Amino acid sequence: MRRLPVFFVLDCSESMAGENLQKMEECLQAVVRTLRADPHALESVYVSVIAFAGAVRTIAPLVEVVSFYPPKLPLGSGTSLGAALDALMSEIDRSVVKTTADAKGDWKPIIYLITDGHPTDNPGPAIERWNAKYARKTNLIAIGLGKNADFTVLKRLTENVIVYEESQEGDFQKFVKWISASVVAQSKSVGEGVESDTLPILDESVMRIIKEPPPVADESCVTLVGRCQKTRRPYLIKYEQAVQVVATRDFKLDVARYDLAGCYPLEEDYFNWSDQRATEFKVNTASLVGSPGCPHCGNITAFAMCGCGKLLCVNGPGVATCPWCQQQIEFAAAASDGFDVNRSRG
Ligand SMILES: [Zn+2]
Ligand SMILES: [Zn+2]
């Protein structure tokens, strides 16, 4: 029987921390639920998931929908799109059955590439290889979550570049419904023996095709990693950009300001998924508004910095032991001036 392989290539970089990552997990679960309930899909669809951050891995190998169990998505620093495409091409080579003179192989694989940011590696060579050898033999749909995805780079991969923007409750369900519907439609048409390259009609209230890539947006979030002093477990602090316009009669100035979006517990696995070059970037704390508590132990601030340059949680002034370098440090009452912290690459 000819299979219809569906690959989800998912951006699990830090800017996805919190709600977005959880939504992507829910999206996979909902899509699989729909596919299982559809006789055509049930018969032909096989699903695989490749996750990418600084590192890339196949977290769910290609299996039939009945046996597919939606994986927990990782989180890491970096957006290695080039490496993700390389992994996708290897996965296609390894698991998709090619048509030979004697036998029909699998149907054209469908790929959903979902990302919310900019590549932190150089995806150029992988994009060239993709276009030379894989583009015509697959249906790739690239979906940018929000305005900050790099639509220019996605456009180099496929004509099917879609932006999804959430504006109200229920939008995400529409988005998930569309993905499910597009897989079901394809499985139905291959069930009838024809392959179609056309996408089902988009729900224009939440998504649209990108024809001309918009100018590359500025970085929209800042993420910082710390460790809990008590439990030693890592956490991620996320700030989102808020444009503050300072205007007088004579001039107007946009000042970069980042508001606290949340502080999330991380797994130790985070470091395996991260790009090791992550600490070359600095941000001044004066542009960060809001300080979170520790998500592990409840200490009042997760935003204290050791002389080693790393963040830890403390419960006010006093002596603390750094969970990174084990040094004893004394914290005085907070100074009002900003200091520089290492940020990761989002
Ligand atoms: Zn703590
Ligand atoms: Zn330290």
Side-chain angles (χ1 to χ4, degrees), residues 180-330:
S180 308
S182 75
V183 179
V184 167
Q186 191 69 306
S187 68
K188 189 159 183 284
S189 76
V190 300
E192 289 156 358
V194 285
E195 213 157 25
S196 100
D197 282 354
T198 50
L199 292 177
I201 294 158
L202 293 178
D203 186 329
E204 301 267 348
S205 67
V206 292
M207 55 211 292
R208 64 197 154 77
I209 289 264
I210 295 274
K211 297 217 172 67
E212 280 299 312
V216 172
D218 284 341
E219 288 175 279
S220 65
C221 81
V222 168
T223 53
L224 306 164
V225 175
R227 266 187 202 276
C228 173
Q229 204 195 143
K230 289 183 186 158
T231 66
R232 296 179 169 235
R233 292 176 60 200
Y235 53 77
L236 182 86
I237 311 175
K238 182 175 172 184
Y239 289 88
E240 277 168 2
Q241 189 169 40
V243 176
Q244 197 179 29
V245 181
V246 178
T248 69
R249 241 184 2 203
D250 305 317
F251 75 100
K252 189 167 159 271
L253 186 67
D254 290 346
V255 182
R257 193 191 86 183
Y258 295 88
D259 290 341
L260 181 67
C263 184
Y264 312 98
L266 288 175
E267 306 289 331
E268 208 57 46
D269 197 29
Y270 164 84
F271 299 98
N272 299 327
W273 280 93
S274 294
D275 190 327
Q276 294 311 313
R277 295 167 299 170
T279 51
E280 293 160 18
F281 294 80
K282 291 198 188 295
V283 60
N284 191 280
T285 56
S287 61
L288 305 178
V289 180
S291 169
C294 177
H296 292 300
C297 74
N299 267 349
I300 55 168
T301 176
F303 209 129
M305 196 187 198
C306 171
C308 72
K310 308 269 191 168
L311 293 176
L312 63 146
C313 73
V314 295
N315 216 13
V319 176
T321 305
C322 173
W324 299 89
C325 71
Q326 322 309 328
Q327 277 183 63
Q328 296 261 310
I329 359 156
E330 172 135 26

